[in-house]
Amino acid sequence: MATGASFLLEDDVRELIRRRRLDPHRDAAAVLSLVREVLADYEERVLIEGLPPIADANETERLLVDSVSGYGPLQAYFDDPSIEEIWINEPSRVFVARHGRAELTPTLLTEHQVQDLVERMLRSSGRRVDLSSPFVDAALPDGSRLHVAIPDVTRRHWAVNIRKFVVAADDLEDLVRLGSMTPGAARFLSAAVASGLNILVAGGTQAGKTTMLNCLAAAIPQQERVIT
């Protein structure tokens, strides 16, 4: 699909979302239906008005939904379960980490796109980043962790880091199955949780602290009230 047609379709979708008062993040089914409606209308106009045709309707549909409901050019990295981390050093240098190894992606953004993406990510947390608050940490709805720093904390560009919440285990038995823990250790920790003992979880970056906490929480007896 031509770039001009892509922008035109995205503008049409956003305008219809505003008119119908839809929330792109909550009304996912309605937004998908609206995107398909816009695409069908465009394909009719291709025949009548001689507009540039859409090469791949399915891919165009995905890109439009990602643009208005997701995180645009970054959404594919959020959807890829093998990617653990995403960071933007500058608009033309977007990296991901796969199995602990960094990769420079072919994604090219503009300064405006980076700022728009950050605004979308912060919307659910109610936090903001500006000259009075030049860096911010927030949690995304899926559990991923967002860190943003802007000039003058950074030299020139907005720096964005997203550590995705990758579910590898739901309980202590999963850790045993994955080889991260012995059966004896799992039984001991399960008994410690059930007995209400204090447990300190510590480790380096991406060591699995959050995963361990989730697995320990799964061992809490059902009749217990949990307050965090």
Side-chain angles (χ1 to χ4, degrees), residues 128-167:
R128 63 190 176 91
V129 60
D130 53 30
L131 291 176
S132 63
S133 302
F135 56 87
V136 66
D137 290 291
L140 302 184
D142 67 353
S144 299
R145 301 173 196 176
L146 170 70
H147 175 76
V148 182
I150 68 173
D152 292 326
V153 171
T154 59
R155 175 174 290 183
R156 178 180 175 188
H157 301 287
W158 286 34
V160 182
N161 177 264
I162 302 136
R163 287 183 55 202
K164 287 174 58 182
F165 178 63
V166 180
V167 179

Side-chain angles (χ1 to χ4, degrees), residues 16-130:
L16 285 173
I17 286 174
R18 282 193 292 269
R19 288 182 187 176
R20 299 181 188 182
R21 298 182 179 180
L22 297 175
D23 184 326
H25 302 285
R26 294 180 183 176
D27 304 320
V31 169
L32 177 58
S33 176
L34 187 151
V35 166
R36 288 173 175 171
E37 177 186 324
V38 168
L39 282 171
D41 177 70
Y42 184 85
E43 287 178 344
E44 288 185 10
R45 291 166 60 194
V46 167
L47 298 174
I48 298 171
E49 303 175 22
L51 296 174
I54 296 172
D56 188 332
N58 291 332
E59 177 67 6
T60 302
E61 177 184 299
R62 183 188 69 78
L63 291 173
L64 286 171
V65 171
D66 287 351
S67 181
V68 299
S69 295
Y71 298 124
L74 301 185
Q75 188 60 44
Y77 304 133
F78 278 91
D79 294 338
D80 187 337
S82 69
I83 291 177
E84 304 150 346
E85 194 166 0
I86 307 163
W87 65 95
I88 304 171
N89 285 1
E90 57 186 76
S92 61
R93 293 178 65 80
V94 179
F95 292 82
V96 298
R98 225 185 284 262
H99 309 301
R101 293 175 177 262
E103 302 174 15
L104 177 62
T105 73
T107 300
L108 300 175
L109 304 173
T110 65
E111 295 277 4
H112 176 74
Q113 281 180 306
V114 173
Q115 295 174 21
D116 179 65
L117 286 167
V118 168
E119 183 180 333
R120 285 194 229 173
M121 292 177 191
L122 290 176
R123 195 169 294 152
S124 61
S125 69
R127 299 189 179 187
R128 63 190 176 91
V129 60
D130 53 30

